[in-house]
Every structure is written in C-alpha cells, then in structure tokens.
Amino acid sequence: MIKFLDLKKINEPYEAAFQEKLKTVLENGWYILGNEVEAFENNFAIYSEKKYCVGVGNGFDALVLIFKAYIQLGKLQKGDEVIVPANTYIASILAILQADLVPVLVEPKLETYNINPDLIQEKITSKTKAILAVHLYGQLAEMEKINEIAIQNNFIVVEDAAQAHGAISNQKSLINNQQSSVAYSFYPGKNLGTLGDGGAVVTNDSELAIVIQSLRNYGSEAKYQNEFIGVNSRLDELQAAFLNVKLLNLDEENNKRKSIAKRYISEIKNDKIILPTLSLHGTTESHVFHLFVIRTQNRAELQNYLLKNGIESMIHYPIPPHKQKAFSAWNNLTFPITEKIHNEVLSLPMSPVLTMKEVDYIVAILNQF
C-alpha cells in the first residue's frame, strides 16, 4: 500500500537529532518560552525574510492573534469585514469570526483554487478593512493584484500560509510584502511539521509583533502584569527544538515535492483527470505542493480504483465552508466554482519520502483509469 502520507517515514531521519534535542531541553529544565523557542523565532524570521517571528500554539491561533492584535492597535474594529476565499479550509474563516470580525466570501479561480482578485472589488463595502489571502495546497495566491487592491483601499493584508512553507514566486519571496503579516501552521502533516501542534506569525511590523507576543501569554509582557485580555497560546519548547532541526532541510524537502509534482504533471495523461495549473506564475517555484490536487468528475470511482490498486488518496475538502452545518445561515448561498472544486478534487500521495518507483506506479495506474 502506498500511503497518502507516511509521517513515521518522514520523521525517521531526524530521530537521532530529536533525541539529542530532547536531552538538551530536559537538561536545561526550562520548558516554556525558552532557548529553543527563541532560536526558532530567530531562525524562521531569517528564513522568511521578515524582521520578527512569534511562535504560538497552532496555525489557527496565529491567524486569530494577528486579527486581535490589529484590533488592540486600533487598526481594526470588531464588526469590520474581512475578504476571504470561499474555497479554503474552514479554519481561515473561523479565525476571522473568533476575532469578532465578519468574513466576506469571494470565489476562487477554477485553475488555481486560490481567491480570484478580479472578484474582490465587487465585495468591498464601507466596512471592509482587510483581506485574508490563503495560499491553498501550497500555491502562492496572486499577491501582486491583492496588494494593489489593498494599497488602493488602505486595507490590511494577512496571509494564511499554513500550507505554503517556503513558497516563492519568480519575482519575490512569498512573505516579502512589507504590508502583510503571515500565519503559519506546523501541524505534523505540513511541509514543516512538528510532532504535535505549533504555529507562528512572521511580520515586519514591530508594534504588531510586540502585541502578539503579549497576547499569546495571557496579555502579559512582564510577569503578573497584564496589558491586554490575552490567551495561552505559546509554541512548545520541545516542538520548537524539533522545528529547529527540520527547518534546515525544508528547502531540500520542498524540492523533492516539486520534482514529484513535475513528474505527475508531465506524465499523467488521462482526459478524465484535470491536473494542477501553474500558468499564472509560470514556475513551480510558486508552489511547494503541500498537496497535489487533481480534479475528476468520477471522484468516488477513481478513489475506489486507486485504493483497489494499493494507493491511498484523500479529499481536501469534501464540503465547502458555506455548506457546513456550523454556518447554517450561509447554507442557502451559492458559490458555483467553490462547490465544483469541492465536488471534484482528489489529493494524490505527495511527500519528500515518496520514491520514484512509487511515482512510476501511481502514474501508470492513473493512466489506465
């Protein structure tokens, strides 16, 4: 059986280094916001080409704390509207709601699955104050167009890069926009994953970084002195230690993903299968293939066929956010492109430990479908 994602195999090469890090953390006797968190924040800020990195409990909290920090700084107010893709994992939308802001859904482009910048303008109202761009599946959203809209309207831009560690365009890095702050998740299955939960915010805004540092720790900058109504959302010292190990190989592992994706794109030849498109950026550098997502009108049939042939696959995601029971007030809304995507997508095995022999087999089986 070719697993969809073999986390045990992905982490095996790091076992000795993890054991050494565990020993170091135990010997230090400092388990919350210690040397490893500080080191990772410095390392990831440098990697991300940003001035500041703040480690938090998970990627969802990273998004929520960005919005809450902007509210504390007076740059957003509760009830402000935030443009967000209709086609995204539900966490993007939940984070906006958690911060007492109002999500406004915008359709994606069918070719890329990311938000369509050309449709943003029609959703802007006097209450619109921010855009949340999501780099879905690891592919860079059209940030130049999004940033243009934001500058013209004086909007805040927040980037959800939970699936896009290390993505760059052919012109500039994913996170080189001076106006935006970026949220990351280090959930185990991510391109840069921990052995538990973890997240971070990277930004060039010193005020924002200071407020998020405080908010993540009960709203406290100095012990027992609370400036804000904060939360407990701190990147774990041990997970930070593991991230410091794995960050060194992130680019190499992303390159392995890209090489597999190039093979899939060039070798899968079946008119029943729609492959990902990179035409908007013209390079695989804009996509780090957290997921390799195809579309087909025969999804259930194809998924069963793959499984019978020893290949696991997954659906990211089967139900669009506006059709979820949690958002019952939205259930009568229609987003045809989003709904088409959710009805047709299927994710193939994709990881840096997938072998070329396994890729050969996956391609051959798909071409016979």
Side-chain angles (χ1 to χ4, degrees):
M1 176 67 71
I2 298 176
K3 290 187 177 182
F4 175 73
L5 183 66
D6 192 338
L7 289 177
K8 187 173 183 291
K9 194 173 178 183
I10 286 171
N11 285 304
E12 269 175 3
Y14 301 108
E15 274 188 31
F18 287 169
Q19 294 286 356
E20 197 59 39
K21 282 290 188 183
L22 173 59
K23 185 181 176 185
T24 300
V25 171
L26 287 171
E27 286 176 352
N28 285 343
W30 192 279
Y31 310 125
I32 302 291
L33 297 182
N35 293 337
E36 293 291 345
V37 170
E38 184 178 351
F40 177 72
E41 289 175 338
N42 290 332
N43 293 337
F44 199 59
I46 291 167
Y47 178 85
S48 304
E49 300 177 14
K50 290 283 190 182
K51 293 178 182 175
Y52 309 99
C53 171
V54 184
V56 298
N58 51 69
F60 176 73
D61 284 357
L63 281 173
V64 174
L65 291 176
I66 289 173
F67 288 123
K68 287 190 171 183
Y70 277 128
I71 290 171
Q72 291 291 349
L73 291 167
K75 295 183 179 180
L76 289 175
Q77 294 182 1
K78 292 180 180 181
D80 284 347
E81 292 178 353
V82 180
I83 299 288
V84 64
N87 182 53
T88 185
Y89 182 54
I90 197 169
S92 308
I93 295 166
L94 290 174
I96 295 169
L97 292 166
Q98 191 72 30
D100 295 315
L101 300 168
V102 179
V104 176
L105 308 184
V106 173
E107 284 268 59
K109 285 188 174 177
L110 184 59
E111 298 83 3
T112 64
Y113 313 127
N114 280 329
I115 193 168
N116 186 342
D118 300 332
L119 301 180
I120 291 177
Q121 191 66 43
E122 64 192 51
K123 294 295 185 82
I124 293 173
T125 73
S126 59
K127 292 184 177 180
T128 310
K129 302 298 179 187
I131 301 172
L132 175 56
V134 181
H135 307 300
L136 197 64
Y137 306 147
Q139 180 160 219
L140 183 67
E142 293 176 75
M143 292 310 300
E144 287 187 19
K145 289 184 178 180
I146 291 168
N147 288 332
E148 276 180 28
I149 294 166
I151 291 166
Q152 288 167 5
N153 293 276
N154 197 30
F155 292 161
I156 287 167
V157 175
V158 178
E159 296 180 57
D160 181 344
Q163 301 183 356
H165 313 72
I168 58 172
S169 71
N170 54 1
Q171 294 180 312
K172 59 185 179 180
S173 76
L174 159 68
I175 44 185
N176 204 25
N177 170 21
Q178 300 297 307
Q179 306 302 317
S180 69
S181 298
V182 188
Y184 283 95
S185 164
F186 305 122
Y187 183 78
K190 305 296 187 185
N191 290 32
L192 180 61
T194 58
L195 302 189
D197 255 326
V201 175
V202 294
T203 183
N204 283 323
D205 187 332
S206 59
E207 283 187 320
L208 187 77
I210 289 168
V211 174
I212 292 173
Q213 283 174 338
S214 178
L215 286 174
R216 73 172 175 184
N217 192 32
Y218 301 108
S220 174
E221 291 177 33
K223 197 164 187 178
Y224 303 130
Q225 296 179 32
N226 302 78
E227 282 72 32
F228 308 108
I229 298 173
V231 298
N232 177 10
S233 180
R234 301 169 298 212
L235 178 60
D236 181 80
E237 182 74 358
L238 192 57
Q239 299 302 341
F242 296 156
L243 287 169
N244 279 321
V245 171
K246 294 183 76 175
L247 179 59
L248 298 172
N249 285 345
L250 176 57
D251 286 343
E252 181 185 343
E253 292 191 352
N254 279 345
N255 285 335
K256 288 178 181 176
R257 290 173 180 270
K258 291 174 190 176
S259 67
I260 292 165
K262 285 176 182 175
R263 286 202 58 196
Y264 279 157
I265 290 169
S266 64
E267 296 175 30
I268 296 172
K269 298 185 186 301
N270 187 322
D271 59 12
K272 298 182 183 70
I273 295 169
I274 299 168
L275 298 167
T277 177
L278 304 171
S279 60
L280 294 178
H281 298 286
T283 170
T284 54
E285 295 306 300
S286 66
H287 202 324
V288 291
F289 294 98
H290 170 60
L291 298 170
F292 190 93
V293 180
I294 61 173
R295 287 191 3 253
T296 179
Q297 293 184 359
N298 315 95
R299 182 169 67 190
E301 185 184 345
L302 176 55
Q303 191 168 32
N304 289 332
Y305 166 79
L306 288 171
L307 195 58
K308 284 177 184 175
N309 284 280
I311 301 168
E312 288 184 348
S313 61
M314 289 189 71
I315 300 170
H316 296 90
Y317 302 95
I319 305 172
H322 69 281
K323 295 297 184 183
Q324 294 283 359
K325 187 177 179 182
F327 297 142
S328 57
W330 291 351
N331 287 172
N332 63 339
L333 297 179
T334 302
F335 292 93
I337 298 173
T338 295
E339 289 158 27
K340 181 178 178 63
I341 289 168
H342 284 254
N343 288 333
E344 296 181 354
V345 289
L346 187 67
S347 300
L348 301 181
M350 169 57 72
S351 83
V353 297
L354 200 64
T355 68
M356 289 301 108
K357 188 176 179 182
E358 288 172 328
V359 173
D360 289 341
Y361 180 71
I362 292 166
V363 168
I365 292 298
L366 283 168
N367 285 341
Q368 292 166 23
F369 176 64

